[in-house]
mmCIF file of all heavy atoms in Angstrom:
data_model
loop_
_atom_site.group_PDB
_atom_site.id
_atom_site.type_symbol
_atom_site.label_atom_id
_atom_site.label_comp_id
_atom_site.label_asym_id
_atom_site.label_seq_id
_atom_site.Cartn_x
_atom_site.Cartn_y
_atom_site.Cartn_z
ATOM 1 N N THR A 48 3.466 7.802 2.911
ATOM 2 C CA THR A 48 4.039 6.646 2.219
ATOM 3 C C THR A 48 5.287 6.120 2.928
ATOM 4 O O THR A 48 6.046 5.347 2.347
ATOM 5 C CB THR A 48 4.389 7.012 0.766
ATOM 6 O OG1 THR A 48 5.256 8.158 0.757
ATOM 7 C CG2 THR A 48 3.134 7.324 -0.031
ATOM 8 N N ALA A 49 5.501 6.537 4.170
ATOM 9 C CA ALA A 49 6.632 6.019 4.943
ATOM 10 C C ALA A 49 6.312 4.612 5.446
ATOM 11 O O ALA A 49 5.140 4.246 5.593
ATOM 12 C CB ALA A 49 6.923 6.944 6.124
ATOM 13 N N PRO A 50 7.328 3.805 5.707
ATOM 14 C CA PRO A 50 7.057 2.467 6.271
ATOM 15 C C PRO A 50 6.291 2.578 7.580
ATOM 16 O O PRO A 50 6.418 3.554 8.328
ATOM 17 C CB PRO A 50 8.470 1.904 6.513
ATOM 18 C CG PRO A 50 9.346 2.660 5.565
ATOM 19 C CD PRO A 50 8.762 4.037 5.475
ATOM 20 N N ALA A 51 5.486 1.581 7.868
ATOM 21 C CA ALA A 51 4.703 1.575 9.105
ATOM 22 C C ALA A 51 5.623 1.602 10.321
ATOM 23 O O ALA A 51 6.713 1.030 10.312
ATOM 24 C CB ALA A 51 3.819 0.335 9.154
ATOM 25 N N ASP A 52 5.170 2.295 11.352
ATOM 26 C CA ASP A 52 5.842 2.261 12.652
ATOM 27 C C ASP A 52 5.206 1.108 13.417
ATOM 28 O O ASP A 52 4.191 1.274 14.109
ATOM 29 C CB ASP A 52 5.648 3.595 13.374
ATOM 30 C CG ASP A 52 6.378 3.661 14.710
ATOM 31 O OD1 ASP A 52 6.714 2.587 15.262
ATOM 32 O OD2 ASP A 52 6.588 4.778 15.213
ATOM 33 N N ARG A 53 5.775 -0.065 13.283
ATOM 34 C CA ARG A 53 5.109 -1.271 13.795
ATOM 35 C C ARG A 53 4.945 -1.279 15.309
ATOM 36 O O ARG A 53 3.852 -1.615 15.801
ATOM 37 C CB ARG A 53 5.839 -2.518 13.303
ATOM 38 C CG ARG A 53 5.748 -2.662 11.774
ATOM 39 C CD ARG A 53 6.208 -4.025 11.301
ATOM 40 N NE ARG A 53 5.997 -4.182 9.859
ATOM 41 C CZ ARG A 53 6.134 -5.325 9.194
ATOM 42 N NH1 ARG A 53 6.472 -6.430 9.868
ATOM 43 N NH2 ARG A 53 5.920 -5.378 7.895
ATOM 44 N N PRO A 54 5.960 -0.929 16.087
ATOM 45 C CA PRO A 54 5.738 -0.915 17.539
ATOM 46 C C PRO A 54 4.625 0.047 17.958
ATOM 47 O O PRO A 54 3.788 -0.286 18.797
ATOM 48 C CB PRO A 54 7.096 -0.482 18.098
ATOM 49 C CG PRO A 54 8.086 -0.892 17.054
ATOM 50 C CD PRO A 54 7.378 -0.681 15.755
ATOM 51 N N ALA A 55 4.608 1.242 17.357
ATOM 52 C CA ALA A 55 3.561 2.213 17.700
ATOM 53 C C ALA A 55 2.194 1.702 17.280
ATOM 54 O O ALA A 55 1.197 1.861 18.006
ATOM 55 C CB ALA A 55 3.854 3.554 17.034
ATOM 56 N N ALA A 56 2.110 1.086 16.109
ATOM 57 C CA ALA A 56 0.828 0.568 15.628
ATOM 58 C C ALA A 56 0.313 -0.546 16.529
ATOM 59 O O ALA A 56 -0.873 -0.594 16.871
ATOM 60 C CB ALA A 56 0.973 0.069 14.194
ATOM 61 N N GLU A 57 1.191 -1.446 16.929
ATOM 62 C CA GLU A 57 0.760 -2.555 17.779
ATOM 63 C C GLU A 57 0.304 -2.063 19.150
ATOM 64 O O GLU A 57 -0.687 -2.564 19.702
ATOM 65 C CB GLU A 57 1.892 -3.568 17.898
ATOM 66 C CG GLU A 57 2.180 -4.280 16.577
ATOM 67 C CD GLU A 57 3.320 -5.274 16.674
ATOM 68 O OE1 GLU A 57 3.684 -5.665 17.809
ATOM 69 O OE2 GLU A 57 3.845 -5.672 15.609
ATOM 70 N N ALA A 58 1.003 -1.070 19.688
ATOM 71 C CA ALA A 58 0.571 -0.496 20.976
ATOM 72 C C ALA A 58 -0.787 0.169 20.825
ATOM 73 O O ALA A 58 -1.652 0.071 21.712
ATOM 74 C CB ALA A 58 1.613 0.505 21.464
ATOM 75 N N ALA A 59 -1.000 0.863 19.702
ATOM 76 C CA ALA A 59 -2.280 1.526 19.474
ATOM 77 C C ALA A 59 -3.411 0.522 19.289
ATOM 78 O O ALA A 59 -4.545 0.755 19.724
ATOM 79 C CB ALA A 59 -2.177 2.434 18.244
ATOM 80 N N VAL A 60 -3.123 -0.607 18.643
ATOM 81 C CA VAL A 60 -4.134 -1.658 18.495
ATOM 82 C C VAL A 60 -4.570 -2.164 19.864
ATOM 83 O O VAL A 60 -5.768 -2.301 20.140
ATOM 84 C CB VAL A 60 -3.581 -2.814 17.634
ATOM 85 C CG1 VAL A 60 -4.448 -4.068 17.783
ATOM 86 C CG2 VAL A 60 -3.511 -2.400 16.168
ATOM 87 N N ARG A 61 -3.602 -2.427 20.716
ATOM 88 C CA ARG A 61 -3.959 -2.904 22.059
ATOM 89 C C ARG A 61 -4.784 -1.853 22.807
ATOM 90 O O ARG A 61 -5.758 -2.189 23.495
ATOM 91 C CB ARG A 61 -2.679 -3.235 22.833
ATOM 92 C CG ARG A 61 -1.960 -4.481 22.318
ATOM 93 C CD ARG A 61 -0.858 -4.920 23.260
ATOM 94 N NE ARG A 61 0.272 -3.997 23.227
ATOM 95 C CZ ARG A 61 1.308 -4.105 22.395
ATOM 96 N NH1 ARG A 61 1.353 -5.097 21.520
ATOM 97 N NH2 ARG A 61 2.308 -3.246 22.452
ATOM 98 N N GLU A 62 -4.443 -0.590 22.633
ATOM 99 C CA GLU A 62 -5.199 0.471 23.294
ATOM 100 C C GLU A 62 -6.626 0.525 22.760
ATOM 101 O O GLU A 62 -7.583 0.740 23.510
ATOM 102 C CB GLU A 62 -4.505 1.813 23.086
ATOM 103 C CG GLU A 62 -5.181 2.957 23.831
ATOM 104 C CD GLU A 62 -4.389 4.251 23.765
ATOM 105 O OE1 GLU A 62 -3.360 4.288 23.066
ATOM 106 O OE2 GLU A 62 -4.809 5.223 24.425
ATOM 107 N N ALA A 63 -6.807 0.333 21.444
ATOM 108 C CA ALA A 63 -8.146 0.354 20.854
ATOM 109 C C ALA A 63 -9.002 -0.788 21.391
ATOM 110 O O ALA A 63 -10.197 -0.619 21.665
ATOM 111 C CB ALA A 63 -8.045 0.276 19.333
ATOM 112 N N TYR A 64 -8.406 -1.966 21.540
ATOM 113 C CA TYR A 64 -9.143 -3.099 22.082
ATOM 114 C C TYR A 64 -9.585 -2.807 23.519
ATOM 115 O O TYR A 64 -10.745 -3.032 23.891
ATOM 116 C CB TYR A 64 -8.269 -4.358 22.062
ATOM 117 C CG TYR A 64 -8.307 -5.151 20.782
ATOM 118 C CD1 TYR A 64 -7.773 -4.636 19.605
ATOM 119 C CD2 TYR A 64 -8.875 -6.417 20.735
ATOM 120 C CE1 TYR A 64 -7.770 -5.365 18.423
ATOM 121 C CE2 TYR A 64 -8.897 -7.169 19.564
ATOM 122 C CZ TYR A 64 -8.339 -6.630 18.408
ATOM 123 O OH TYR A 64 -8.367 -7.364 17.244
ATOM 124 N N VAL A 65 -8.651 -2.327 24.334
ATOM 125 C CA VAL A 65 -8.962 -2.059 25.741
ATOM 126 C C VAL A 65 -10.035 -0.980 25.851
ATOM 127 O O VAL A 65 -10.965 -1.081 26.671
ATOM 128 C CB VAL A 65 -7.686 -1.653 26.497
ATOM 129 C CG1 VAL A 65 -8.025 -1.174 27.907
ATOM 130 C CG2 VAL A 65 -6.716 -2.839 26.553
ATOM 131 N N ALA A 66 -9.949 0.062 25.014
ATOM 132 C CA ALA A 66 -10.938 1.137 25.042
ATOM 133 C C ALA A 66 -12.329 0.622 24.701
ATOM 134 O O ALA A 66 -13.337 1.161 25.165
ATOM 135 C CB ALA A 66 -10.531 2.251 24.074
ATOM 136 N N ALA A 67 -12.383 -0.437 23.894
ATOM 137 C CA ALA A 67 -13.670 -1.034 23.523
ATOM 138 C C ALA A 67 -14.139 -2.075 24.530
ATOM 139 O O ALA A 67 -15.166 -2.730 24.313
ATOM 140 C CB ALA A 67 -13.563 -1.657 22.136
ATOM 141 N N GLY A 68 -13.391 -2.247 25.624
ATOM 142 C CA GLY A 68 -13.776 -3.215 26.641
ATOM 143 C C GLY A 68 -13.413 -4.637 26.297
ATOM 144 O O GLY A 68 -14.040 -5.586 26.801
#
Side-chain angles (χ1 to χ4, degrees):
T48 55
D52 183 340
R53 295 192 175 189
E57 292 179 17
V60 164
R61 290 191 289 270
E62 184 173 5
Y64 273 68
V65 172

